[in-house]
Amino acid sequence: MAIIEITSLQNKQLEVFSTLTEAQLRMTLEPEKGLFIAESPKVIRVALDAGWQPTALLCEHKHIDGDARDIVERLPEDVPVYTGHRELLAQLTGYTLTRGVLCAMRRKPAPALADVLRDAHRIVVIEAVTDTTNIGAIFRSAAALGIDAVILTRDSCDPLNRRAVRVSMGSVFLVPWTWIDGPVSSLKDYGFRTAAMALCDDSIALDDPRLAQEERLAIVMGTEGDGLPRQTIEQADYTVRIPMAHGVDSLNVAAAAAVAFWQLRR
């Protein structure tokens, strides 16, 4: 690989790390040609181990022979490594790099829903959750607590958003995921019963034994402010609540997901 010292912030080859927005990186019309940014050596290693293809690395001087040495050594010869001092890289990107390393990586086409669900028994459906931190935290809990797949509605945040990837600690590369275009209730066509997490008069407690006995269960999580759409709740097989104490009515969606994943694990 070529190690290139940054001498100008106007270098067009550095746009992927500086001026391109998340939408431009994603290239919505042609996502198979899009890119995303992985941040920190640990996250980059997870992505590389999972087979994601790097296109460029941005690295502080001290990390080339330090924390990122093994990453630099395993990069293909045609992948450039851009380097500079911490202050210069912060000026380039607009933020201080976490652990001093960024990697631009090529996106993969989203797998078919049927392929992701084929061998799954416990999945989470993320509906209209747009907070990047919550998306990353849900993925991390899903990986840690045995969720087989993550399914997202199109109005949810992109899991390959830089912050979502970092918060997930690379878990977005470990758990199969894809998008769903039809209603959440269409998961019944794949043999799943749906459990909508919502505070309703007819909701059952998370520890209700019927939930644990389901062979294939989709745990449906919605945005904190508005919750799940009424249609999703009405069409669900179960409406589920987490029993609370001290008058607390709800948890952050990422915290609620972790609790649900643990309780409903196979």
Side-chain angles (χ1 to χ4, degrees):
M1 90 297 300
I3 297 180
I4 303 170
E5 182 76 22
I6 298 174
T7 58
S8 171
L9 299 182
Q10 307 305 316
N11 188 335
K12 287 187 66 66
Q13 292 177 312
L14 296 173
E15 286 182 346
V16 65
F17 298 113
S18 57
T19 59
L20 295 186
T21 66
E22 288 286 346
Q24 289 170 324
L25 286 170
R26 184 175 179 179
M27 291 185 66
T28 304
L29 296 179
E30 297 182 275
E32 69 278 1
K33 296 182 181 179
L35 302 172
F36 68 91
I37 302 297
E39 184 176 2
S40 87
K42 181 175 181 178
V43 171
I44 295 168
R45 290 187 192 103
V46 174
L48 292 174
D49 290 344
W52 294 78
Q53 179 185 352
T55 63
L57 192 76
L58 183 67
C59 186
E60 285 183 42
H61 282 144
K62 65 180 181 179
H63 293 307
I64 290 181
D65 292 316
D67 288 352
R69 180 175 180 176
D70 62 308
I71 295 173
V72 173
E73 290 176 346
R74 67 189 290 188
L75 293 177
E77 291 186 2
D78 61 344
V79 174
V81 177
Y82 298 101
T83 187
H85 293 291
R86 184 177 183 85
E87 295 75 15
L88 180 64
L89 300 190
Q91 186 179 352
L92 172 70
T93 61
Y95 53 88
T96 301
L97 277 61
T98 301
R99 301 296 299 275
V101 189
L102 296 178
C103 188
M105 310 194 87
R106 197 168 303 285
R107 287 175 177 267
K108 299 178 182 179
L113 182 62
D115 293 338
V116 171
L117 298 179
R118 182 172 293 113
D119 298 318
H121 293 270
R122 289 292 183 272
I123 68 172
V124 59
V125 181
I126 300 175
E127 182 163 9
V129 176
T130 58
D131 184 272
T132 55
T133 299
N134 284 333
I135 292 291
I138 292 172
F139 265 88
R140 189 172 183 181
S141 294
L145 301 175
I147 294 298
D148 298 316
V150 179
I151 308 301
L152 303 102
T153 59
R154 293 285 182 177
D155 52 357
S156 293
C157 170
D158 173 24
L160 295 182
N161 172 283
R162 180 183 64 86
R163 183 169 177 81
V165 171
R166 179 164 64 82
V167 172
S168 80
M169 294 301 293
S171 295
V172 295
F173 310 123
L174 301 177
V175 183
W177 63 270
T178 195
W179 306 96
I180 184 170
D181 291 310
V184 174
S185 59
S186 65
L187 291 171
K188 297 176 184 179
D189 297 337
Y190 299 90
F192 281 87
R193 303 268 280 175
T194 55
M197 302 297 296
L199 298 173
C200 298
D201 293 338
D202 60 347
S203 59
I204 63 175
L206 183 63
D207 58 357
D208 189 298
R210 288 173 291 178
L211 297 171
Q213 292 167 4
E214 290 289 354
E215 178 67 17
R216 309 188 87 186
L217 187 67
I219 305 163
V220 190
M221 310 296 304
T223 183
E224 290 178 51
D226 299 326
L228 289 169
R230 178 176 297 276
Q231 182 181 19
T232 298
I233 296 173
E234 291 176 347
Q235 294 179 350
D237 296 294
Y238 301 101
T239 305
V240 183
R241 71 181 185 280
I242 298 174
M244 302 282 179
H246 299 293
V248 177
D249 61 355
S250 64
L251 295 174
N252 164 276
V253 64
V259 173
F261 297 165
W262 171 254
Q263 178 66 37
L264 299 177
R265 70 195 187 283
R266 291 188 77 207

